Amino acid sequence: MSLSSIPGRRRRLNKTQKLSVAGISAIAVASLSFSLVPANAEGKPEAQTPVSAAPVVLASVAGTPQVKAVQASIIEQHSTAEQLVKAADLARAKKAAAVKAKAEAAAKAKAAAAAEVKARAEAKARAAAQVKAKAAAERTETQAASRSEARTPVYANNLDGWISQALAIMKAHGIPGSYDGLHRNIMRESTGNPNAVNGWDINAQNGTPSCGLLQVIQPTFNAYHVPGTSTNIYDPVANITAAANYAADRYGSIDNVNSAY
């Protein structure tokens, strides 16, 4: 901001300068006029011819060192005032810029803090969601296992339970046979003894005695063993399913067997 931008300032200063110069000139004229009065002016005035000296005096006074010094002082003061105003404007501008920068820095710091708080909250929410999802998955898995366990029948460890379990496995593998057909052949072959061994027939003479509930020889058991059952020929369920698988291949079904097979 300069002096010229202050309403009325510039015109007032210029007018002051002009008045100051005019005043100095008037003083100089008065002094010169006084010096031109003769020393005997106190006596009777003599008639003199009027002289129009004022313009000459003004012209000569305006260029005197005193006037020039006053003019230079006024100009210097004006220049100093303008510099002070400019310095004040610059200081205000710097202060305003500093205030603005500080406000912007504070706003940026506040925004960064808010963003960090938000990020932490989101991370916490994600972690909680993961924990919740994991717990839900484990709960679902546990429930599924429980349902599966609940659906899995528990068979009695007796002839009835062995036949019932064998029929379930046979059904899963597409092996035909009925409870009656299995029970009838078991009672004829071993009377329900899973450890029964025939030590006198041709198979025994050949070194491969008939074993188990349905009196199966080892080569036949190995060839018709049903996956998922025990590999022990004396295991009741494994023995029944292997014999039923062999009978189905040779006779169509264990139900069609009514004698030694």
Side-chain angles (χ1 to χ4, degrees), residues 91-122:
R92 282 193 294 272
K94 288 182 177 179
K95 184 176 180 181
V99 171
K100 181 179 179 182
K102 185 177 181 180
E104 289 177 349
K108 186 180 292 185
K110 184 177 180 180
E116 184 177 357
V117 170
K118 182 179 180 181
R120 288 180 180 177
E122 290 177 348

Side-chain angles (χ1 to χ4, degrees), residues 38-173:
N40 58 357
E42 295 178 357
K44 182 179 180 182
E46 296 178 0
Q48 296 180 0
T49 304
V51 180
S52 178
V56 177
V57 173
L58 289 174
S60 62
V61 170
T64 61
Q66 293 87 347
V67 174
K68 289 181 177 181
V70 172
Q71 290 177 338
S73 177
I74 292 172
I75 292 171
E76 183 179 358
Q77 292 176 9
H78 176 67
S79 176
T80 301
E82 285 186 341
Q83 291 176 1
L84 290 174
V85 171
K86 288 180 179 179
D89 290 343
L90 181 60
R92 282 193 294 272
K94 288 182 177 179
K95 184 176 180 181
V99 171
K100 181 179 179 182
K102 185 177 181 180
E104 289 177 349
K108 186 180 292 185
K110 184 177 180 180
E116 184 177 357
V117 170
K118 182 179 180 181
R120 288 180 180 177
E122 290 177 348
K124 185 177 181 180
R126 285 195 298 271
Q130 290 176 354
V131 170
K132 184 177 181 181
K134 183 178 180 180
E138 291 176 350
R139 186 167 54 253
T140 301
E141 184 178 352
T142 302
Q143 291 173 350
S146 298
R147 288 193 297 269
S148 177
E149 184 177 351
R151 287 194 299 267
T152 302
V154 177
Y155 299 100
N157 188 25
N158 55 32
L159 182 59
D160 180 72
W162 301 332
I163 294 175
S164 297
Q165 186 174 357
L167 285 171
I169 295 173
M170 289 165 58
K171 182 178 181 181
H173 289 273

Side-chain angles (χ1 to χ4, degrees), residues 4-5 14 28 50 55-56 77 95 105-107 113 117 119 124 131 159 167 188 195 201 203 220 233 235 247 253-254:
S4 59
S5 65
N14 290 340
V56 177
Q77 292 176 9
K95 184 176 180 181
V117 170
K124 185 177 181 180
V131 170
L159 182 59
L167 285 171
R188 185 187 67 251
N195 297 313
D201 65 2
N203 291 324
T220 300
I233 193 171
D235 179 84
S253 172
I254 190 70

Side-chain angles (χ1 to χ4, degrees), residues 170 174-177 224 241-257 261:
M170 289 165 58
I175 300 173
Y224 291 93
T241 54
N245 194 22
Y246 164 75
D249 181 53
R250 184 162 185 174
Y251 302 104
S253 172
I254 190 70
D255 293 344
N256 298 329
V257 179
Y261 61 110

